[in-house]
């Protein structure tokens, strides 16, 4: 997937939302970090004049349900921030998903954003992308 996305030339800005699916599906933190690093750096490296924004995990049940794994969610967010901070590519940026919306924007499954959550995410991400394109 990284090679495919890096090979595309039909975009001006890329957003890579990484990755509640990996956090929920048993990937280790090291596996997540390696894969996020490979994807983000492949895309950013192939297009050094175009902004690439990595979005950390949005709030989800791990953050708000008692006895869930808030530490795991925080570690996945930190790992993606580290990938961006350690990247040699100046066009690679991070958007904090946990600042894009709060848990009240989630649907009853406490995983997927509802309408209000999607609106909050859209506004936050669009505002950050506008800054990157200026």
């Amino acid at each position: 997937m990284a090679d495919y996305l890096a090979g595309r030339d039909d975009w001006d800005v890329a957003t890579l939302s990484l990755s509640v699916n990996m956090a929920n599906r048993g990937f280790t933190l090291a596996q997540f970090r390696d894969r996020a690093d490979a994807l983000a750096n492949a895309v950013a490296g192939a297009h050094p004049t175009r902004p690439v924004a990595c979005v950390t995990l949005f709030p989800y049940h791990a953050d708000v349900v008692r006895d869930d794994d808030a530490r795991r969610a925080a570690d996945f967010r930190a790992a993606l921030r580290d990938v961006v901070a350690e990247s040699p590519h100046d066009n690679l940026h991070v958007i904090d998903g946990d600042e894009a919306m709060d848990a009240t924007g989630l649907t009853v499954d406490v995983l997927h954003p509802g309408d209000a959550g999607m609106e909050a995410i859209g506004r936050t991400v669009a505002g950050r992308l506008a800054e990157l394109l200026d």
Side-chain angles (χ1 to χ4, degrees):
M1 182 60 74
D3 292 338
Y4 173 77
L5 293 174
R8 299 216 38 137
D9 196 32
D10 57 351
W11 54 275
D12 296 316
V13 59
T15 55
L16 306 174
S17 186
L18 305 165
S19 156
V20 73
N21 291 326
M22 292 179 80
N24 276 341
R25 296 289 181 232
F27 284 83
T28 67
L29 184 59
Q31 288 171 322
F32 168 74
R33 186 178 175 21
D34 288 346
R35 290 176 187 202
D37 184 273
L39 175 63
N41 282 297
V43 175
H47 302 279
T49 63
R50 297 177 184 175
V52 177
C54 295
V55 184
T56 67
L57 297 174
F58 299 112
Y60 72 109
H61 57 77
D63 297 300
V64 297
V65 174
R66 185 188 334 199
D67 298 328
D68 208 328
D69 200 350
R71 178 80 256 151
R72 180 173 172 82
D75 288 346
F76 270 62
R77 289 181 185 106
L80 188 56
R81 287 184 193 105
D82 290 346
V83 163
V84 172
E86 296 166 8
S87 173
H89 306 293
D90 292 336
N91 62 321
L92 191 59
H93 308 275
V94 69
I95 297 174
D96 291 310
D98 54 339
E99 295 177 7
M101 66 167 257
D102 60 40
T104 62
L106 296 171
T107 60
V108 296
D109 68 1
V110 198
L111 177 62
H112 296 96
D115 292 345
M118 292 301 288
E119 183 177 342
I121 290 168
R123 287 177 197 231
T124 301
V125 172
R128 185 72 170 98
L129 294 178
E131 293 170 7
L132 296 176
L133 290 169
D134 284 341

